[in-house]
Amino acid sequence: MRMEKEQLLEAFTEYEVYLASLNTRIKTDEAAHEPIVEGKWSVSEIIAHLGAWDRFMREERLPFMKEGADIEPLPDVDAFNRKAVEHVRNTEFPSVLANAQKQRALLAKAIEEMDPADFKAPFAVGSHQTDAADYFEGLLSHDAHHRRQIDAFLEKKA
């Protein structure tokens, strides 16, 4: 069953609460910049990455999600991710977190303002048929993946 817009917005609100919780769960910039496991990103990098995708979705996807639209496939994901995190090592965690919170709030507002017909209108991304409801469910899965990583890291640090 496809997610309704209200359910998506509720999930976004819950994610924003989760982000806010990181203000107290992560005590120092050093902890925020420590890789979650050897060879992986830090919490700061993960959060910056999520914020960058939220901005991309709002600016490069949402305006084109119309019935029958043909949207270009995702950019080079690895290059996009590298660019999203390149500045983070020299940025204090509260700033990284605030940007991610801002990006999610802006995306939520844009979705809230989306015409209800467009939310369920079919469009194509490359050769894949989808709609905004399904597309953003994928974003929630992506969020959940990274939240599990962050939570596992923080449990080890506790």
Short mmCIF file of all heavy atoms in Angstrom, two decimals, residues 8-9 11-17 19-20 50-55 57-58 62 97-114 139 143:
data_model
loop_
_atom_site.label_atom_id
_atom_site.label_comp_id
_atom_site.label_asym_id
_atom_site.label_seq_id
_atom_site.Cartn_x
_atom_site.Cartn_y
_atom_site.Cartn_z
N LEU A 8 3.75 10.43 5.17
CA LEU A 8 5.12 10.83 4.83
C LEU A 8 5.55 12.02 5.68
O LEU A 8 6.64 12.02 6.25
CB LEU A 8 5.22 11.17 3.34
CG LEU A 8 6.57 11.72 2.89
CD1 LEU A 8 7.65 10.65 3.00
CD2 LEU A 8 6.48 12.24 1.46
N LEU A 9 4.68 13.01 5.78
CA LEU A 9 5.02 14.20 6.56
C LEU A 9 5.19 13.86 8.04
O LEU A 9 6.07 14.42 8.71
CB LEU A 9 3.98 15.29 6.35
CG LEU A 9 3.96 15.85 4.92
CD1 LEU A 9 2.77 16.79 4.73
CD2 LEU A 9 5.27 16.54 4.57
N ALA A 11 6.33 10.99 9.15
CA ALA A 11 7.64 10.33 9.20
C ALA A 11 8.76 11.37 9.13
O ALA A 11 9.78 11.22 9.80
CB ALA A 11 7.77 9.32 8.07
N PHE A 12 8.57 12.40 8.33
CA PHE A 12 9.56 13.47 8.25
C PHE A 12 9.66 14.20 9.59
O PHE A 12 10.76 14.53 10.04
CB PHE A 12 9.20 14.46 7.15
CG PHE A 12 9.67 14.07 5.78
CD1 PHE A 12 10.01 12.77 5.46
CD2 PHE A 12 9.76 15.02 4.78
CE1 PHE A 12 10.44 12.42 4.19
CE2 PHE A 12 10.19 14.69 3.51
CZ PHE A 12 10.53 13.39 3.21
N THR A 13 8.54 14.45 10.24
CA THR A 13 8.56 15.10 11.55
C THR A 13 9.30 14.23 12.56
O THR A 13 10.12 14.73 13.34
CB THR A 13 7.12 15.38 12.04
OG1 THR A 13 6.50 16.27 11.11
CG2 THR A 13 7.10 15.99 13.43
N GLU A 14 9.06 12.93 12.53
CA GLU A 14 9.75 12.01 13.43
C GLU A 14 11.26 12.03 13.16
O GLU A 14 12.07 11.99 14.08
CB GLU A 14 9.17 10.60 13.26
CG GLU A 14 9.50 9.67 14.41
CD GLU A 14 10.85 8.99 14.24
OE1 GLU A 14 11.23 8.72 13.09
OE2 GLU A 14 11.53 8.75 15.24
N TYR A 15 11.64 12.11 11.88
CA TYR A 15 13.06 12.20 11.53
C TYR A 15 13.66 13.50 12.07
O TYR A 15 14.79 13.51 12.57
CB TYR A 15 13.21 12.12 10.01
CG TYR A 15 14.61 12.37 9.51
CD1 TYR A 15 15.59 11.39 9.60
CD2 TYR A 15 14.95 13.59 8.94
CE1 TYR A 15 16.88 11.62 9.15
CE2 TYR A 15 16.24 13.82 8.48
CZ TYR A 15 17.19 12.84 8.58
OH TYR A 15 18.47 13.07 8.14
N GLU A 16 12.91 14.60 11.97
CA GLU A 16 13.42 15.87 12.50
C GLU A 16 13.62 15.78 14.01
O GLU A 16 14.60 16.33 14.53
CB GLU A 16 12.47 17.01 12.13
CG GLU A 16 12.49 17.32 10.63
CD GLU A 16 11.53 18.43 10.24
OE1 GLU A 16 11.64 19.52 10.83
OE2 GLU A 16 10.69 18.21 9.35
N VAL A 17 12.74 15.08 14.71
CA VAL A 17 12.90 14.86 16.15
C VAL A 17 14.17 14.04 16.40
O VAL A 17 14.94 14.33 17.32
CB VAL A 17 11.65 14.18 16.75
CG1 VAL A 17 11.90 13.71 18.18
CG2 VAL A 17 10.45 15.12 16.69
N LEU A 19 16.84 13.91 14.50
CA LEU A 19 18.00 14.78 14.30
C LEU A 19 18.22 15.67 15.52
O LEU A 19 19.35 15.82 15.98
CB LEU A 19 17.81 15.65 13.05
CG LEU A 19 17.93 14.97 11.70
CD1 LEU A 19 17.68 15.97 10.57
CD2 LEU A 19 19.29 14.30 11.52
N ALA A 20 17.15 16.23 16.04
CA ALA A 20 17.28 17.10 17.22
C ALA A 20 17.87 16.33 18.41
O ALA A 20 18.65 16.89 19.19
CB ALA A 20 15.92 17.70 17.58
N LEU A 50 22.77 13.18 4.22
CA LEU A 50 21.31 13.16 4.23
C LEU A 50 20.75 14.55 3.89
O LEU A 50 19.78 14.67 3.13
CB LEU A 50 20.79 12.68 5.58
CG LEU A 50 21.06 11.20 5.88
CD1 LEU A 50 20.75 10.88 7.34
CD2 LEU A 50 20.27 10.30 4.95
N GLY A 51 21.36 15.58 4.45
CA GLY A 51 20.91 16.95 4.15
C GLY A 51 21.10 17.30 2.68
O GLY A 51 20.25 17.96 2.07
N ALA A 52 22.21 16.85 2.10
CA ALA A 52 22.46 17.13 0.68
C ALA A 52 21.42 16.45 -0.20
O ALA A 52 20.95 17.03 -1.18
CB ALA A 52 23.87 16.68 0.31
N TRP A 53 21.05 15.22 0.14
CA TRP A 53 20.02 14.53 -0.64
C TRP A 53 18.66 15.20 -0.47
O TRP A 53 17.89 15.30 -1.43
CB TRP A 53 19.96 13.05 -0.28
CG TRP A 53 21.02 12.28 -1.01
CD1 TRP A 53 22.15 11.72 -0.48
CD2 TRP A 53 21.08 12.02 -2.42
NE1 TRP A 53 22.90 11.12 -1.47
CE2 TRP A 53 22.26 11.29 -2.68
CE3 TRP A 53 20.25 12.34 -3.49
CZ2 TRP A 53 22.63 10.88 -3.96
CZ3 TRP A 53 20.62 11.92 -4.77
CH2 TRP A 53 21.79 11.21 -4.99
N ASP A 54 18.37 15.69 0.73
CA ASP A 54 17.10 16.41 0.92
C ASP A 54 17.05 17.65 0.03
O ASP A 54 16.04 17.94 -0.60
CB ASP A 54 16.93 16.81 2.38
CG ASP A 54 16.50 15.65 3.28
OD1 ASP A 54 16.21 14.55 2.75
OD2 ASP A 54 16.47 15.85 4.50
N ARG A 55 18.17 18.39 -0.02
CA ARG A 55 18.22 19.58 -0.88
C ARG A 55 18.04 19.17 -2.33
O ARG A 55 17.27 19.78 -3.08
CB ARG A 55 19.54 20.33 -0.70
CG ARG A 55 19.61 21.61 -1.55
CD ARG A 55 21.03 22.00 -1.89
NE ARG A 55 21.83 20.94 -2.49
CZ ARG A 55 21.74 20.53 -3.76
NH1 ARG A 55 20.88 21.07 -4.59
NH2 ARG A 55 22.51 19.56 -4.20
N MET A 57 16.55 16.51 -3.56
CA MET A 57 15.17 16.09 -3.80
C MET A 57 14.24 17.30 -3.95
O MET A 57 13.38 17.32 -4.83
CB MET A 57 14.65 15.21 -2.66
CG MET A 57 15.39 13.92 -2.50
SD MET A 57 15.18 12.86 -3.94
CE MET A 57 16.32 11.57 -3.55
N ARG A 58 14.45 18.30 -3.09
CA ARG A 58 13.60 19.48 -3.13
C ARG A 58 13.83 20.32 -4.38
O ARG A 58 12.87 20.77 -5.01
CB ARG A 58 13.84 20.34 -1.88
CG ARG A 58 12.99 21.60 -1.81
CD ARG A 58 13.19 22.34 -0.50
NE ARG A 58 14.57 22.51 -0.12
CZ ARG A 58 15.36 23.50 -0.55
NH1 ARG A 58 14.92 24.39 -1.40
NH2 ARG A 58 16.61 23.58 -0.13
N LEU A 62 11.50 17.26 -6.89
CA LEU A 62 10.12 17.62 -6.58
C LEU A 62 9.45 18.52 -7.61
O LEU A 62 8.31 18.25 -8.00
CB LEU A 62 10.07 18.26 -5.18
CG LEU A 62 8.72 18.34 -4.52
CD1 LEU A 62 8.10 16.97 -4.34
CD2 LEU A 62 8.85 19.02 -3.17
N LEU A 97 24.41 19.64 11.69
CA LEU A 97 23.08 19.19 12.10
C LEU A 97 22.02 20.23 11.77
O LEU A 97 20.95 19.89 11.24
CB LEU A 97 23.10 18.88 13.60
CG LEU A 97 21.91 18.15 14.18
CD1 LEU A 97 21.65 16.84 13.46
CD2 LEU A 97 22.15 17.91 15.67
N ALA A 98 22.30 21.49 12.03
CA ALA A 98 21.33 22.56 11.74
C ALA A 98 21.03 22.62 10.25
O ALA A 98 19.87 22.82 9.85
CB ALA A 98 21.86 23.90 12.24
N ASN A 99 22.04 22.43 9.42
CA ASN A 99 21.80 22.45 7.98
C ASN A 99 20.91 21.28 7.55
O ASN A 99 19.99 21.45 6.75
CB ASN A 99 23.11 22.43 7.19
CG ASN A 99 22.84 22.48 5.71
OD1 ASN A 99 22.27 23.44 5.19
ND2 ASN A 99 23.22 21.43 4.99
N ALA A 100 21.17 20.10 8.09
CA ALA A 100 20.35 18.94 7.75
C ALA A 100 18.91 19.14 8.22
O ALA A 100 17.97 18.80 7.50
CB ALA A 100 20.94 17.67 8.37
N GLN A 101 18.74 19.71 9.40
CA GLN A 101 17.39 19.98 9.90
C GLN A 101 16.68 20.98 8.99
O GLN A 101 15.50 20.80 8.67
CB GLN A 101 17.46 20.52 11.34
CG GLN A 101 17.88 19.47 12.33
CD GLN A 101 18.19 20.04 13.70
OE1 GLN A 101 18.99 20.97 13.82
NE2 GLN A 101 17.58 19.48 14.73
N LYS A 102 17.39 22.00 8.57
CA LYS A 102 16.81 23.01 7.67
C LYS A 102 16.41 22.37 6.34
O LYS A 102 15.31 22.63 5.83
CB LYS A 102 17.83 24.12 7.44
CG LYS A 102 17.40 25.14 6.42
CD LYS A 102 18.51 26.15 6.16
CE LYS A 102 18.21 26.98 4.94
NZ LYS A 102 19.34 27.84 4.58
N GLN A 103 17.29 21.55 5.78
CA GLN A 103 16.99 20.93 4.49
C GLN A 103 15.77 20.02 4.58
O GLN A 103 14.93 19.99 3.67
CB GLN A 103 18.20 20.16 3.96
CG GLN A 103 19.39 21.04 3.61
CD GLN A 103 19.05 22.12 2.59
OE1 GLN A 103 18.22 21.95 1.71
NE2 GLN A 103 19.70 23.27 2.71
N ARG A 104 15.64 19.24 5.66
CA ARG A 104 14.48 18.36 5.80
C ARG A 104 13.21 19.18 6.00
O ARG A 104 12.17 18.85 5.44
CB ARG A 104 14.69 17.37 6.95
CG ARG A 104 13.54 16.38 7.15
CD ARG A 104 13.14 15.58 5.90
NE ARG A 104 14.16 14.76 5.36
CZ ARG A 104 14.29 13.45 5.51
NH1 ARG A 104 13.41 12.79 6.23
NH2 ARG A 104 15.29 12.82 4.94
N ALA A 105 13.29 20.24 6.79
CA ALA A 105 12.11 21.08 6.99
C ALA A 105 11.66 21.74 5.69
O ALA A 105 10.46 21.80 5.40
CB ALA A 105 12.40 22.14 8.06
N LEU A 106 12.61 22.18 4.88
CA LEU A 106 12.27 22.78 3.58
C LEU A 106 11.65 21.75 2.64
O LEU A 106 10.69 22.05 1.91
CB LEU A 106 13.51 23.41 2.95
CG LEU A 106 14.02 24.69 3.61
CD1 LEU A 106 15.39 25.07 3.03
CD2 LEU A 106 13.02 25.83 3.45
N LEU A 107 12.20 20.54 2.66
CA LEU A 107 11.64 19.48 1.83
C LEU A 107 10.23 19.13 2.30
O LEU A 107 9.31 18.99 1.47
CB LEU A 107 12.53 18.23 1.86
CG LEU A 107 12.04 17.02 1.06
CD1 LEU A 107 11.84 17.36 -0.41
CD2 LEU A 107 13.02 15.86 1.22
N ALA A 108 10.03 19.02 3.59
CA ALA A 108 8.70 18.72 4.12
C ALA A 108 7.70 19.80 3.74
O ALA A 108 6.57 19.49 3.32
CB ALA A 108 8.76 18.56 5.65
N LYS A 109 8.10 21.05 3.84
CA LYS A 109 7.21 22.16 3.46
C LYS A 109 6.85 22.09 1.98
O LYS A 109 5.69 22.27 1.60
CB LYS A 109 7.86 23.50 3.79
CG LYS A 109 7.00 24.71 3.48
CD LYS A 109 7.66 25.97 3.98
CE LYS A 109 6.95 27.26 3.68
NZ LYS A 109 5.61 27.24 3.26
N ALA A 110 7.83 21.80 1.15
CA ALA A 110 7.57 21.70 -0.30
C ALA A 110 6.62 20.54 -0.61
O ALA A 110 5.73 20.67 -1.46
CB ALA A 110 8.89 21.54 -1.06
N ILE A 111 6.79 19.43 0.08
CA ILE A 111 5.89 18.28 -0.13
C ILE A 111 4.49 18.62 0.39
O ILE A 111 3.49 18.30 -0.25
CB ILE A 111 6.45 17.01 0.53
CG1 ILE A 111 7.71 16.56 -0.23
CG2 ILE A 111 5.40 15.91 0.57
CD1 ILE A 111 8.48 15.45 0.45
N GLU A 112 4.44 19.27 1.54
CA GLU A 112 3.14 19.66 2.09
C GLU A 112 2.37 20.55 1.10
O GLU A 112 1.15 20.43 0.96
CB GLU A 112 3.36 20.39 3.41
CG GLU A 112 2.09 20.72 4.14
CD GLU A 112 2.35 21.32 5.52
OE1 GLU A 112 3.49 21.71 5.83
OE2 GLU A 112 1.37 21.40 6.29
N GLU A 113 3.09 21.42 0.41
CA GLU A 113 2.46 22.33 -0.54
C GLU A 113 2.20 21.69 -1.91
O GLU A 113 1.55 22.29 -2.76
CB GLU A 113 3.34 23.57 -0.71
CG GLU A 113 3.42 24.40 0.56
CD GLU A 113 4.44 25.52 0.49
OE1 GLU A 113 5.22 25.59 -0.50
OE2 GLU A 113 4.49 26.32 1.45
N MET A 114 2.67 20.48 -2.09
CA MET A 114 2.51 19.79 -3.36
C MET A 114 1.03 19.49 -3.63
O MET A 114 0.30 19.09 -2.73
CB MET A 114 3.31 18.48 -3.29
CG MET A 114 3.40 17.71 -4.54
SD MET A 114 4.45 16.24 -4.22
CE MET A 114 4.82 15.79 -5.88
N LEU A 139 13.24 7.37 0.14
CA LEU A 139 14.04 8.28 0.96
C LEU A 139 13.94 7.89 2.43
O LEU A 139 14.94 7.90 3.15
CB LEU A 139 13.57 9.73 0.75
CG LEU A 139 14.34 10.81 1.49
CD1 LEU A 139 15.78 10.90 0.99
CD2 LEU A 139 13.64 12.15 1.34
N ASP A 143 16.90 6.95 4.99
CA ASP A 143 17.05 7.53 6.32
C ASP A 143 17.22 6.44 7.37
O ASP A 143 18.10 6.51 8.22
CB ASP A 143 15.80 8.33 6.72
CG ASP A 143 15.57 9.60 5.92
OD1 ASP A 143 16.49 10.05 5.21
OD2 ASP A 143 14.45 10.14 6.02
#
